[in-house]
Amino acid sequence: MASSKDRQRKLAREKLDRQMQKRAVKQRRTRRVRAGVGAGLAVLLIAGGIAWLGGVFDSDPPTDPAADDICVWTPQSAANQPALKDVGTPPTDGIPTTGTRPLTVTTNQGAPITASLNLTTSPCGGESMHYLASKKFYDNTECTEITAFGALHCGDTSGNGLGGPTYTFYNEDVPTVPTPDPSTSAAPKPATPAYPAGTVALISDPPGNNGSQFLVFLKDYSPKDQAQYPIIGKVTGGQDTLTKIAKMPTVANTNGDKVKPKDKILIQSLTVGDAVAGDAPAPAPSASTQS
């Protein structure tokens, strides 16, 4: 029999699927309306008549008000998971779904690292970061790893891989990795890396149960199999700091993996600004182009 947590996750997944379908319908409807605006009055009247006959402008059928929520925050128990930190839950409505949010990470390693969070592709990831930053969740926490694939791992408040808030949410913008050729069992090399240097992404264990932990890629990376880290933004500044961190030696952690930075990388503060209109900017020049 499935556990209550499994059932809770299944229901949340189904609810998110419904919301994503509804969002797609609204976006298609908006595009159809906009397409008719510039066609002239006569064409607009004809198109409007056809649309009216076709039911394009019919009101949406009654739905559960909760279905209008943009994001699904699945509760987690701090009593059962003592590494979690309870700071409440982000809102479920009024969440921006276009534009960007500015992210600033001030560390003890040099100039602040800045990034742009993409709210069009990752509204929930952006909202979660904004909410946690408003609670000073990340302040005075360490970045615990420089991973074997070349990414700085931060946001683990426990330092043991289990830290986070008392909620999780599902993946949004996970890149597609080319599938292996059955005749050779080798994956074709992608034209562009799945995670270019400067990418900001979420990381969770198991994948798809995102919380506070995130990655900043110090070099280009493309996994050999399925990608696991949903992208939420791109670095826009602080490249000298990232270059310094990329060259930092690592030592073994408590599990024996040589991924722990030799020198402490402390997040002194992490802030996320208000949403602004416009597309996400291109990432800053990479700290390393090694794959």
Side-chain angles (χ1 to χ4, degrees):
M1 180 180 294
S3 68
S4 59
K5 181 178 290 187
D6 290 338
R7 176 171 173 78
Q8 188 177 52
R9 288 177 177 172
K10 181 175 182 295
L11 293 174
R13 176 75 260 179
E14 292 172 349
K15 180 178 179 181
L16 180 60
D17 289 342
R18 292 195 301 270
Q19 292 164 355
M20 295 299 290
Q21 291 171 2
K22 186 172 183 179
R23 188 188 306 175
V25 169
K26 288 182 177 179
Q27 289 174 342
R28 289 196 298 270
R29 180 175 299 165
T30 299
R31 286 195 295 267
R32 287 199 297 267
V33 172
R34 288 176 177 172
V37 170
L41 179 59
V43 175
L44 182 61
L45 289 173
I46 294 173
I50 294 173
W52 177 77
L53 290 174
V56 170
F57 302 111
D58 290 350
S59 59
D60 292 335
T63 59
D64 179 356
D68 290 330
D69 296 345
I70 299 298
C71 305
V72 177
W73 314 112
T74 303
Q76 304 295 320
S77 172
N80 298 331
Q81 303 172 80
L84 301 184
K85 181 179 179 181
D86 189 357
V87 292
T89 305
T92 56
D93 56 6
I95 295 173
T97 58
T98 59
T100 62
R101 285 189 187 273
L103 167 71
T104 302
V105 184
T106 302
T107 73
N108 64 335
Q109 294 298 321
I113 301 163
T114 60
S116 177
L117 302 179
N118 191 330
L119 306 181
T120 301
T121 56
S122 302
C124 300
E127 183 63 28
S128 178
M129 290 287 288
H130 177 254
Y131 177 80
L132 293 176
S134 73
K135 301 296 183 180
K136 301 186 181 302
F137 188 90
Y138 295 100
D139 293 5
N140 299 311
T141 63
E142 291 186 42
C143 296
T144 54
E145 292 183 348
I146 299 174
T147 69
F149 51 83
L152 180 64
H153 181 181
C154 307
D156 176 11
T157 52
S158 69
N160 60 9
L162 303 176
T166 51
Y167 65 86
T168 59
F169 59 100
Y170 288 96
N171 290 342
E172 292 174 294
D173 185 20
V174 179
T176 301
V177 177
T179 56
D181 184 340
S183 63
T184 63
S185 298
K189 187 174 181 179
T192 58
Y195 299 99
T199 297
V200 181
L202 299 173
I203 179 172
S204 63
D205 185 16
N209 289 268
N210 302 298
S212 60
Q213 299 184 37
F214 65 95
L215 302 170
V216 179
F217 283 82
L218 305 172
K219 64 179 183 179
D220 295 346
Y221 172 63
S222 289
K224 295 180 180 180
D225 48 18
Q226 185 177 4
Q228 298 182 349
Y229 314 118
I231 296 172
I232 60 172
K234 300 176 181 178
V235 169
T236 57
Q239 195 57 51
D240 288 346
T241 301
L242 291 175
T243 299
K244 175 184 177 182
I245 292 173
K247 296 177 180 179
M248 189 176 292
T250 55
V251 297
N253 61 13
T254 55
N255 294 324
D257 300 321
K258 194 177 178 181
V259 294
K260 181 180 178 180
K262 184 177 181 180
D263 300 324
K264 179 185 291 188
I265 302 174
L266 180 70
I267 295 180
Q268 296 168 330
S269 68
L270 185 153
T271 61
V272 177
D274 293 335
V276 294
D279 297 329
S286 62
S288 170
T289 57
Q290 300 175 6
S291 58

